[in-house]
């Protein structure tokens, strides 16, 4: 079953912050985050593992709440380059190397 | 440069014809995947292969077939049995990272069947 992402779409002005949520109905081993520009391949952002710490690089970070079976992606002081569709991919068991992706969150940053 | 190649970028076919999409990687990754992307539906897994000569069905395998005869190649055939084949198709491969793995995606093939 696909994880549920929220919001489905968001429009921000440059410099504003955004939070994108990903919720699963199943217990998770890991959550992966990707960003996709229109017509291009998704690009890997980060992985959060069960029992791991919050991760981040530059002004993009993420957390993983195992009990709630959800992950959140935080974008602070957004830049125009952050525009795109963000997908979470969830992994239930270590070793099967299979992700189930959410339906995506379209983020638009305007000047 | 290492990466994943998908060809062609755009493909047009008549209804009732089988069509094969190419996916090649020179990253020396063991696992490879095929996804289908439709507007508003995210990425849905068609087939995946963790090792040469072995592959598993994903969530929407009906109407598709694959082969994995070489580590570098994982072609996808869209058969005439696929009822709604028009979509954007993405190939990916993966490598272990931090006791999990990271998927690398190809540029995709947009298939239009009329």
């Amino acid at each position: 079953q696909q994880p549920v992402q929220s919001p489905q779409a968001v429009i921000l002005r440059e410099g504003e912050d955004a939070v994108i949520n990903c919720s699963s109905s199943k217990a998770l081993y890991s959550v992966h985050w990707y960003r996709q520009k229109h017509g291009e391949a998704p690009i890997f952002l980060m992985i959060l593992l069960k029992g791991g710490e919050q991760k981040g690089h530059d002004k993009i970070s993420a957390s993983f709440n195992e009990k709630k079976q959800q992950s959140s992606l935080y974008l602070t002081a957004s830049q125009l380059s952050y525009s795109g569709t963000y997908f979470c991919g969830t992994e239930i068991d270590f070793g099967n190397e299979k992700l189930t992706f959410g339906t995506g969150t379209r983020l638009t940053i305007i000047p | 440069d290492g990466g994943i190649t998908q060809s062609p970028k755009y493909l047009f076919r008549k209804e009732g014809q089988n069509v094969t999409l190419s996916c090649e990687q020179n990253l020396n990754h063991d696992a490879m995947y095929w996804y289908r992307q439709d507007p508003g539906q995210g990425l849905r897994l068609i087939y995946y292969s963790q090792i040469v000569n072995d592959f598993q069905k994903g969530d929407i395998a009906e109407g598709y077939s694959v082969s994995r005869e070489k580590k570098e190649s994982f072609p996808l055939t869209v058969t005439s049995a696929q009822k709604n084949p028009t979509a954007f198709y993405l190939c990916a491969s993966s490598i272990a990272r931090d006791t999990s793995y990271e998927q690398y995606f190809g540029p995709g093939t947009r298939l239009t069947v009329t």
Side-chain angles (χ1 to χ4, degrees):
Chain A
Q1 192 170 1
Q2 275 184 301
V4 176
Q5 287 187 234
S6 63
Q8 289 184 320
V10 59
I11 300 174
L12 296 176
R13 290 202 177 275
E14 203 173 359
E16 292 182 334
D17 301 340
V19 180
I20 299 172
N21 299 304
C22 173
S23 296
S24 173
S25 59
K26 299 183 179 182
L28 300 174
Y29 172 74
S30 70
V31 179
H32 303 221
W33 285 98
Y34 288 80
R35 176 173 63 211
Q36 184 181 29
K37 302 278 185 180
H38 182 68
E40 298 181 6
I43 301 296
F44 170 79
L45 294 176
M46 64 189 76
I47 296 172
L48 297 106
L49 299 173
K50 181 178 177 179
E53 299 175 350
Q54 181 165 332
K55 283 196 170 182
H57 56 84
D58 196 11
K59 294 175 182 174
I60 300 176
S61 62
S63 63
F64 179 20
N65 186 321
E66 296 161 35
K67 289 184 180 178
K68 292 185 177 180
Q69 297 166 187
Q70 63 183 214
S71 176
S72 295
L73 185 72
Y74 307 94
L75 302 101
T76 58
S78 56
Q79 307 167 15
L80 293 175
S81 61
Y82 289 179
S83 292
T85 301
Y86 290 78
F87 293 99
C88 67
T90 56
E91 181 185 19
I92 295 173
D93 298 309
F94 170 68
N96 69 4
E97 298 186 65
K98 177 186 168 187
L99 290 178
T100 301
F101 284 91
T103 53
T105 296
R106 179 176 291 181
L107 176 64
T108 303
I109 309 295
I110 57 177
Chain B
D1 288 334
I4 301 176
T5 304
Q6 289 186 246
S7 60
K9 190 171 178 65
Y10 298 95
L11 192 53
F12 298 88
R13 282 292 184 271
K14 294 288 187 186
E15 195 173 328
Q17 294 178 336
N18 291 355
V19 59
T20 297
L21 310 185
S22 167
C23 178
E24 303 279 332
Q25 55 102 356
N26 60 3
L27 300 167
N28 200 33
H29 290 176
D30 286 318
M32 295 187 74
Y33 310 80
W34 274 105
Y35 293 94
R36 171 184 172 134
Q37 188 170 31
D38 297 283
Q41 294 202 42
L43 303 165
R44 293 185 291 167
L45 183 65
I46 305 172
Y47 270 98
Y48 67 110
S49 167
Q50 292 176 283
I51 197 168
V52 174
N53 292 322
D54 188 41
F55 47 83
Q56 290 78 41
K57 291 182 179 179
D59 301 317
I60 55 165
E62 186 175 349
Y64 300 97
S65 65
V66 294
S67 62
R68 188 84 188 276
E69 297 176 1
K70 299 187 298 182
K71 188 174 185 178
E72 303 79 21
S73 179
F74 191 39
L76 172 75
T77 296
V78 185
T79 75
S80 56
Q82 168 50 235
K83 294 188 188 328
N84 186 18
T86 294
F88 187 50
Y89 290 88
L90 285 161
C91 177
S93 65
S94 70
I95 187 169
R97 173 188 283 267
D98 291 344
T99 72
S100 184
Y101 60 96
E102 174 183 337
Q103 290 194 8
Y104 292 76
F105 286 84
T109 292
R110 190 167 295 279
L111 174 66
T112 302
V113 177
T114 57

